[in-house]
């Protein structure tokens, strides 16, 4: 793709962060970022101290750190209040004999208690294992057993899915709920918190001591325990500043659940390391509630995901007009490729350029991004952040020239790179099999200006009549059609063509699945993209299989198609 036919949404000079990308990349040194942390002077390391206590000891002490709301609760906490609540949680855990290196899991809906606890775990040097509340018993058991967790904080309702009798290492089950629901041997969270002191000694750790264990979402197979260490804070603070563009008085809202890495790296660490007000909304997705949240708190920076933006787009322009979104200054997306159609729509109705960011659970923080001060090329993930080098390499490790599709790889190391995969060194080696590089498992190409373009996961790239087709491009064209709400595209084995393209499509409200519509959609892709990328087969579905974090699971579509076992489904939606 040459420069001439690239669509560009140019930057407007209204952003607060006017960092010059080229200049920042030239002069960049991670050592300069390290100077921003108190441990640089004191030698005392703990992420929770940097995120909370440091601000509580400064003039930001009474600044709002957390605005929480759900359909029944609405609460706000200052940095000082969060310091005290997380100290209580730390003391509660210490009293049980829990300490440095122990794995402590959190399995509950988003509430302030979740945030107090997670910070408390980190304060005592233990390792937090957040689990999304929708997990069923087998998924919970697999993760607790694999990690050897000693404690779990959950609710009276969810504890039914924690098979303690099958988990010999699990010693403490703490429940967040009403007193009458909680009896021994369960520990009553509220009571322990109330009795605990608001002062606690912080466990000072090493930069390479354990912080968090995230089991990834399972788009491609069995979930793996990605282990991160305190060092990750360096890149989380930095990207919070230069990619999220967080400024002193921002009101920031990340819509991700802490069960996924976005909900911790950017739903907890990045905003608080930067001392910024963080909005958390509990409860289910609804366009009205989401827009209302932006208006109520006057959100300035908003980080969400393609699936949410597609649903908001599906809800229509009229809904947007009923709310006050004028506070928004900067909007970002992560998790899946961001369809150009969604970017155009966002620009039209929000007046905001939605900035795509690419990274993974394993990478701990953002790596390839669209910056505030950068022209957006819809469909591109952007350029590597200063301090990070990315390339497209072939399977032998040769760096490929621009415009060639291949393995998206990152030069090792960077501060937030995973430290290991828990209990699975062989898996870790798959990522690092080519010396000097981290192999992401994603397929992409780089254009002549250094912008990266995601094509699909390596396993999802389709080989049809000798052409390599990335499913993302086809899906993006499909969702441009007015009838299409969402699309998942796979390669189906074919004796003549190697593979043919098959599209699974869910329709927007008001459209009926007919043979004519299939033909019209096929024609639409043929004319708008290319004949060889047009689906040979279309199947309409009420819903596409997605992970709980909202990603279309192409491996499940493929398994359906080939009538193969679907593999691990612990992370699938209902
Ligand atoms: P698993 O590794 O268990 O199969 P997962 O890969 O979905 O699950 P995550 O670590 O949450 O788990 O997601 C990272 C992946 O999501 C990336 O490798 C990429 O495929 C996709 N992704 C994330 N952000 C983007 C983006 N901006 N553009 C395109 N793809 C993205
Ligand atoms: Mg992955």
């Amino acid at each position: 793709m040459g420069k001439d036919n690239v669509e560009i949404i140019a930057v407007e000079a209204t952003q607060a962060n006017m960092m010059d990308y080229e200049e920042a990349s030239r002069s960049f040194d991670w050592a300069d970022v390290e100077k921003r942390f108190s441990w640089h002077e004191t030698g005392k390391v703990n992420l929770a101290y940097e995120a909370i206590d440091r601000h509580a000891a400064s003039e930001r002490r009474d600044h709002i750190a957390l605005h929480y709301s759900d359909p029944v609760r609405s609460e706000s906490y200052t940095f000082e209040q969060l310091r005290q609540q997380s100290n209580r949680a730390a003391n509660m855990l210490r009293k049980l004999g829990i300490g440095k290196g122990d794995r402590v899991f959190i399995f509950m809906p988003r509430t302030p208690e979740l945030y107090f606890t997670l910070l408390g775990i980190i304060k005592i040097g233990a390792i937090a294992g957040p689990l999304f509340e929708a997990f069923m018993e087998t998924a919970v058991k697999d993760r607790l057993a694999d990690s050897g967790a000693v404690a779990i904080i959950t609710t009276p309702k969810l504890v039914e899915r924690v098979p303690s009798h099958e988990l010999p290492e699990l010693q403490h089950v703490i429940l967040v709920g009403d007193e009458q629901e909680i009896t021994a041997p369960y520990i009553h969270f509220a009571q322990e918190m109330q009795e605990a002191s608001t002062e606690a000694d912080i466990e000072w750790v090493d930069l390479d001591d354990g912080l968090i264990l995230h089991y990834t979402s399972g788009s491609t197979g069995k979930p793996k325990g990605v282990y991160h260490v305190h060092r990750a804070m360096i890149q989380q603070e930095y990207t919070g500043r230069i990619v999220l563009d967080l400024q002193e008085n921002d009101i920031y809202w990340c819509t991700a659940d802490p069960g996924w890495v976005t909900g911790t790296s950017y739903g907890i660490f990045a905003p608080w390391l930067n001392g910024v007000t963080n909005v958390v909304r509990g409860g289910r997705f609804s366009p009205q509630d989401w827009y209302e949240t932006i208006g109520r708190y006057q959100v300035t920076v908003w980080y969400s995901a393609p699936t949410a933006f597609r649903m908001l787009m599906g809800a229509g322009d009229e809904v947007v007009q009923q709310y006050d979104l004028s506070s928004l200054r900067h909007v970002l997306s992560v998790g899946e490729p961001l369809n150009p159609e969604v970017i155009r729509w966002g620009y039209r109705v929000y007046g905001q350029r939605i900035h795509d960011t690419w990274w993974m659970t394993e990478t701990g923080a953002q790596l390839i991004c669209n910056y505030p001060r950068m022209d957006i090329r819809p469909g591109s993930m952007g350029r590597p952040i200063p301090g990070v080098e990315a390339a497209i390499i072939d399977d032998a490790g040769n760096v490929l020239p621009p415009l060639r599709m291949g393995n998206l790889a990152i030069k090792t190391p960077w501060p937030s790179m995973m430290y290991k995969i828990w209990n699975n060194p062989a898996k870790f080696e798959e990522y690092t099999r080519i010396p000097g590089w981290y192999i992401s498992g994603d397929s992409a190409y780089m254009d002549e200006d250094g912008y990266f373009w995601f094509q699909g996961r390596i396993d999802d790239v389709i080989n049809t009549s000798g052409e390599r087709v990335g499913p993302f491009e086809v899906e993006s064209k499909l969702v441009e059609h007015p009838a299409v709400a969402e699309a998942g595209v796979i390669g189906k084995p074919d004796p003549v063509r190697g593979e043919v393209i098959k599209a699974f499509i869910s329709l927007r409200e008001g459209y009926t699945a007919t043979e004519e519509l299939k033909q019209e959609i096929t024609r639409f892709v043929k004319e708008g993209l290319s004949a060889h990328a047009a689906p040979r087969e279309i199947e309409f579905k009420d819903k596409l299989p997605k992970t709980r974090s909202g990603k279309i699971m192409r491996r499940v579509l493929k398994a359906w198609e080939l009538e193969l076992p679907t593999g691990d489904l612990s992370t699938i939606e209902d």
Side-chain angles (χ1 to χ4, degrees):
M1 204 186 272
K3 231 181 189 157
D4 301 342
N5 50 17
V6 169
E7 174 187 3
I8 291 176
I9 301 187
V11 67
E12 294 152 41
T14 53
Q15 304 289 341
N17 175 351
M18 291 308 283
M19 180 194 80
D20 182 317
Y21 175 81
E22 313 290 346
E23 173 56 30
S25 300
R26 255 194 310 278
S27 59
F28 185 79
D29 188 347
W30 284 112
D32 293 332
V33 182
E34 294 182 22
K35 287 187 194 132
R36 304 176 66 91
F37 294 92
S38 66
W39 46 260
H40 187 259
E41 308 257 293
T42 63
K44 295 176 171 171
V45 174
N46 189 301
L47 185 149
Y49 177 84
E50 302 293 330
I52 304 296
D53 297 42
R54 186 172 49 119
H55 305 302
S58 77
E59 76 285 357
R60 285 185 94 67
R61 177 193 152 99
D62 300 320
H63 191 77
I64 298 292
L66 174 65
H67 278 310
Y68 175 82
S69 70
D70 65 29
V72 290
R73 287 171 76 174
S74 174
E75 295 160 20
S76 298
Y77 297 86
T78 63
F79 279 101
E80 171 60 14
Q81 287 168 326
L82 271 196
R83 184 190 74 85
Q84 296 191 15
Q85 295 293 355
S86 55
N87 279 349
R88 286 193 153 134
N91 287 327
M92 168 183 76
L93 297 169
R94 271 209 181 113
K95 189 175 143 195
L96 299 171
I98 298 169
K100 192 173 172 195
D102 287 335
R103 276 79 62 209
V104 180
F105 273 64
I106 301 178
F107 179 42
M108 60 175 155
R110 258 175 282 184
T111 55
E113 290 74 21
L114 187 162
Y115 292 79
F116 306 156
T117 309
L118 195 132
L119 292 166
I121 294 169
I122 296 171
K123 280 190 168 178
I124 63 168
I127 297 159
L131 291 180
F132 187 49
E133 60 173 305
F135 281 139
M136 301 310 284
E137 179 168 329
T138 319
V140 174
K141 186 188 132 191
D142 285 351
R143 287 158 176 81
L144 293 178
D146 184 63
S147 63
V150 299
I152 186 166
I153 295 90
T154 182
T155 67
K157 198 162 139 238
L158 292 174
V159 76
E160 288 166 21
R161 301 191 210 144
V162 182
S164 307
H165 56 285
E166 293 176 62
L167 294 162
E169 286 167 281
L170 186 70
Q171 294 158 35
H172 313 286
V173 179
I174 303 170
L175 299 187
V176 181
D178 295 336
E179 197 165 3
Q180 55 276 27
E181 300 175 295
I182 302 166
T183 50
Y186 296 135
I187 298 158
H188 186 199
F189 178 89
Q191 192 181 324
E192 293 296 319
M193 285 287 280
Q194 206 188 349
E195 285 167 14
S197 163
T198 55
E199 298 307 313
D201 289 334
I202 293 197
E203 179 85 30
W204 302 115
V205 298
D206 193 82
L207 280 173
D208 290 321
D209 279 334
L211 171 76
I212 200 161
L213 190 54
H214 268 294
Y215 283 84
T216 62
S217 58
S219 304
T220 53
K222 200 154 181 68
K224 46 202 177 273
V226 177
Y227 178 83
H228 284 289
V229 296
H230 285 250
R231 186 184 296 280
M233 74 173 100
I234 299 168
Q235 196 165 336
Q236 290 158 349
E237 190 272 350
Y238 175 66
T239 50
R241 239 176 329 118
I242 65 145
V243 182
L244 301 181
D245 193 30
L246 295 176
Q247 318 278 325
E248 224 179 307
N249 291 321
D250 270 322
I251 310 289
Y252 166 74
W253 184 27
C254 168
T255 61
D257 188 278
W260 314 123
V261 72
T262 307
T264 57
S265 290
Y266 293 98
I268 298 178
F269 305 146
W272 286 339
L273 288 166
N274 280 287
V276 160
T277 303
N278 195 16
V279 172
V280 173
R281 192 175 192 293
R284 294 191 145 250
F285 171 84
S286 106
Q288 285 78 5
D289 287 352
W290 275 36
Y291 291 142
E292 195 272 329
T293 300
I294 293 174
R296 169 160 23 143
Y297 294 116
Q298 293 287 291
V299 169
T300 54
V301 181
W302 185 29
Y303 199 10
S304 195
T307 181
F309 290 121
R310 284 194 299 260
M311 286 193 280
L312 292 168
M313 185 168 89
D317 300 8
E318 306 74 44
V319 194
V320 182
Q321 274 128 39
Q322 291 156 20
Y323 295 88
D324 169 23
L325 307 185
S326 61
S327 56
L328 285 177
R329 182 187 91 236
H330 188 36
V331 182
L332 306 97
S333 169
V334 68
E336 273 193 301
L338 183 62
N339 319 83
E341 184 61 17
V342 176
I343 298 184
R344 288 178 212 125
W345 174 81
Y347 195 53
R348 185 164 57 74
V349 294
Y350 300 148
Q352 291 293 324
R353 307 178 312 142
I354 306 178
H355 295 72
D356 194 11
T357 62
W358 177 90
W359 58 292
M360 312 168 61
T361 309
E362 293 89 331
T363 72
Q366 297 159 338
L367 293 179
I368 300 181
C369 301
N370 288 280
Y371 294 85
R373 188 180 179 178
M374 191 165 118
D375 294 341
I376 285 184
R377 301 183 173 185
S380 162
M381 347 189 256
R383 296 200 276 182
I385 63 167
V388 163
E389 196 181 324
I392 303 301
I393 65 174
D394 66 15
D395 290 335
N398 303 304
V399 173
L400 298 175
L403 308 183
R404 289 271 304 276
M405 203 200 289
N407 296 294
L408 173 57
I410 310 293
K411 260 257 165 71
T412 51
W414 59 92
S416 64
M417 183 185 172
M418 68 172 155
Y419 196 81
K420 62 179 179 185
I421 303 274
W422 192 265
N423 263 343
N424 197 344
K427 185 80 204 172
F428 186 81
E429 270 161 35
E430 284 177 26
Y431 297 93
T432 49
R433 61 183 185 268
I434 295 176
W437 294 101
Y438 164 89
I439 313 294
S440 67
D442 285 349
S443 165
Y445 70 86
M446 189 184 81
D447 69 19
E448 277 134 346
D449 301 312
Y451 282 68
F452 284 75
W453 299 75
F454 179 88
Q455 298 298 295
R457 305 196 182 229
I458 291 288
D459 300 340
D460 294 339
V461 171
I462 300 162
N463 206 326
T464 179
S465 306
E467 300 271 1
R468 308 223 304 143
V469 177
F472 169 54
E473 213 177 8
V474 186
E475 290 164 4
S476 280
K477 185 47 75 181
L478 286 166
V479 300
E480 278 180 26
H481 189 282
V484 178
E486 293 204 285
V489 163
I490 60 161
K492 178 179 172 177
D494 180 85
V496 180
R497 296 187 169 80
E499 284 181 309
V500 293
I501 297 174
K502 170 152 188 182
F504 293 84
I505 287 173
S506 67
L507 291 175
R508 289 216 202 178
E509 224 146 287
Y511 288 89
T512 14
T514 60
E515 224 20 71
E516 291 75 65
L517 183 57
K518 278 188 192 174
Q519 281 164 19
E520 188 195 311
I521 292 173
T522 309
R523 210 166 37 239
F524 181 77
V525 179
K526 260 191 195 149
E527 284 161 15
L529 190 60
S530 74
H532 79 275
R536 296 235 153 210
E537 266 183 53
I538 290 179
E539 187 173 330
F540 293 120
K541 290 267 173 203
D542 288 343
K543 267 174 108 183
L544 299 180
K546 286 196 214 160
T547 63
R548 299 268 177 197
S549 50
K551 302 182 193 201
I552 296 167
M553 293 172 99
R554 294 188 195 81
R555 75 173 162 91
V556 172
L557 293 173
K558 200 149 186 170
W560 282 351
E561 187 58 40
L562 305 179
E563 295 182 1
L564 292 172
T566 41
D568 186 285
L569 288 183
S570 61
T571 62
I572 202 167
E573 281 181 337
D574 303 324

